[in-house]
Short mmCIF file of all heavy atoms in Angstrom, two decimals:
data_model
loop_
_atom_site.label_atom_id
_atom_site.label_comp_id
_atom_site.label_asym_id
_atom_site.label_seq_id
_atom_site.Cartn_x
_atom_site.Cartn_y
_atom_site.Cartn_z
N VAL V 35 19.48 39.11 21.22
CA VAL V 35 18.04 39.30 21.48
C VAL V 35 17.23 38.42 20.52
O VAL V 35 17.43 38.47 19.30
CB VAL V 35 17.66 40.79 21.27
CG1 VAL V 35 16.14 41.00 21.45
CG2 VAL V 35 18.44 41.67 22.24
N ALA V 36 16.33 37.62 21.08
CA ALA V 36 15.50 36.74 20.24
C ALA V 36 14.14 37.39 20.02
O ALA V 36 13.71 38.24 20.79
CB ALA V 36 15.32 35.39 20.93
N ARG V 37 13.47 36.97 18.98
CA ARG V 37 12.16 37.53 18.63
C ARG V 37 11.15 36.38 18.52
O ARG V 37 10.88 35.86 17.42
CB ARG V 37 12.25 38.33 17.33
CG ARG V 37 13.36 39.41 17.38
CD ARG V 37 13.35 40.33 16.20
NE ARG V 37 12.16 41.16 16.15
CZ ARG V 37 11.94 42.25 16.86
NH1 ARG V 37 12.86 42.68 17.73
NH2 ARG V 37 10.83 42.92 16.74
N PRO V 38 10.61 35.95 19.68
CA PRO V 38 9.74 34.77 19.69
C PRO V 38 8.53 34.87 18.74
O PRO V 38 8.19 33.90 18.06
CB PRO V 38 9.27 34.66 21.14
CG PRO V 38 10.30 35.40 21.93
CD PRO V 38 10.83 36.48 21.03
N ARG V 39 7.91 36.07 18.70
CA ARG V 39 6.72 36.20 17.85
C ARG V 39 7.08 35.98 16.38
O ARG V 39 6.44 35.23 15.66
CB ARG V 39 6.08 37.58 18.05
CG ARG V 39 4.78 37.73 17.31
CD ARG V 39 4.18 39.10 17.45
NE ARG V 39 3.92 39.45 18.84
CZ ARG V 39 3.45 40.63 19.24
NH1 ARG V 39 3.20 41.57 18.34
NH2 ARG V 39 3.23 40.87 20.51
N GLU V 40 8.17 36.65 15.99
CA GLU V 40 8.62 36.52 14.59
C GLU V 40 9.00 35.06 14.30
O GLU V 40 8.68 34.51 13.23
CB GLU V 40 9.85 37.41 14.42
CG GLU V 40 10.24 37.75 13.03
CD GLU V 40 11.39 38.75 13.08
OE1 GLU V 40 11.29 39.78 13.80
OE2 GLU V 40 12.40 38.49 12.42
N ALA V 41 9.68 34.43 15.25
CA ALA V 41 10.11 33.04 15.06
C ALA V 41 8.91 32.13 14.81
O ALA V 41 8.92 31.30 13.90
CB ALA V 41 10.88 32.57 16.30
N ALA V 42 7.88 32.29 15.64
CA ALA V 42 6.71 31.42 15.51
C ALA V 42 5.97 31.71 14.20
O ALA V 42 5.50 30.79 13.52
CB ALA V 42 5.78 31.61 16.71
N LEU V 43 5.89 33.00 13.84
CA LEU V 43 5.18 33.33 12.59
C LEU V 43 5.97 32.83 11.38
O LEU V 43 5.37 32.37 10.39
CB LEU V 43 4.93 34.85 12.51
CG LEU V 43 3.94 35.38 13.58
CD1 LEU V 43 3.84 36.90 13.50
CD2 LEU V 43 2.55 34.74 13.45
N GLU V 44 7.30 32.89 11.46
CA GLU V 44 8.11 32.32 10.36
C GLU V 44 7.81 30.83 10.20
O GLU V 44 7.68 30.32 9.09
CB GLU V 44 9.61 32.49 10.64
CG GLU V 44 10.15 33.90 10.43
CD GLU V 44 11.60 34.07 10.88
OE1 GLU V 44 12.21 33.10 11.39
OE2 GLU V 44 12.13 35.18 10.73
N GLY V 45 7.73 30.15 11.33
CA GLY V 45 7.46 28.71 11.29
C GLY V 45 6.10 28.40 10.68
O GLY V 45 5.96 27.48 9.87
N ILE V 46 5.09 29.19 11.05
CA ILE V 46 3.75 28.95 10.51
C ILE V 46 3.73 29.28 9.01
O ILE V 46 3.12 28.57 8.20
CB ILE V 46 2.68 29.75 11.29
CG1 ILE V 46 2.65 29.27 12.75
CG2 ILE V 46 1.30 29.59 10.65
CD1 ILE V 46 1.85 30.18 13.70
N ALA V 47 4.44 30.34 8.62
CA ALA V 47 4.49 30.70 7.19
C ALA V 47 5.14 29.57 6.39
O ALA V 47 4.70 29.24 5.28
CB ALA V 47 5.27 32.01 7.01
N LYS V 48 6.17 28.98 6.96
CA LYS V 48 6.83 27.85 6.28
C LYS V 48 5.84 26.68 6.14
O LYS V 48 5.74 26.06 5.08
CB LYS V 48 8.06 27.42 7.08
CG LYS V 48 8.70 26.15 6.53
CD LYS V 48 9.46 25.43 7.63
CE LYS V 48 10.03 24.14 7.18
NZ LYS V 48 9.69 22.99 7.98
N MET V 49 5.09 26.39 7.19
CA MET V 49 4.10 25.30 7.11
C MET V 49 3.07 25.60 6.02
O MET V 49 2.70 24.72 5.25
CB MET V 49 3.38 25.11 8.45
CG MET V 49 4.27 24.61 9.56
SD MET V 49 3.24 24.23 11.02
CE MET V 49 4.07 25.16 12.29
N ARG V 50 2.61 26.84 5.99
CA ARG V 50 1.62 27.22 4.97
C ARG V 50 2.19 27.01 3.57
O ARG V 50 1.50 26.55 2.67
CB ARG V 50 1.28 28.72 5.10
CG ARG V 50 0.26 29.06 6.14
CD ARG V 50 -0.14 30.52 5.88
NE ARG V 50 -0.87 31.16 6.95
CZ ARG V 50 -2.20 31.14 7.07
NH1 ARG V 50 -2.94 30.46 6.21
NH2 ARG V 50 -2.78 31.79 8.06
N LYS V 51 3.45 27.39 3.41
CA LYS V 51 4.07 27.28 2.08
C LYS V 51 4.14 25.82 1.63
O LYS V 51 3.80 25.49 0.49
CB LYS V 51 5.47 27.89 2.13
CG LYS V 51 6.19 27.87 0.82
CD LYS V 51 7.26 28.93 0.80
CE LYS V 51 7.78 29.17 -0.58
NZ LYS V 51 8.38 30.49 -0.70
N LEU V 52 4.57 24.96 2.54
CA LEU V 52 4.65 23.53 2.19
C LEU V 52 3.27 22.98 1.85
O LEU V 52 3.11 22.23 0.89
CB LEU V 52 5.26 22.75 3.37
CG LEU V 52 6.79 22.58 3.43
CD1 LEU V 52 7.24 21.50 2.46
CD2 LEU V 52 7.55 23.84 3.17
N ALA V 53 2.28 23.37 2.65
CA ALA V 53 0.92 22.88 2.39
C ALA V 53 0.45 23.36 1.02
O ALA V 53 -0.16 22.61 0.26
CB ALA V 53 -0.02 23.36 3.49
#
Side-chain angles (χ1 to χ4, degrees):
V35 176
R37 306 188 66 79
R39 185 182 301 177
E40 198 175 310
L43 294 175
E44 284 173 358
I46 297 168
K48 173 205 176 234
M49 293 187 233
R50 277 192 194 271
K51 182 158 193 157
L52 270 283

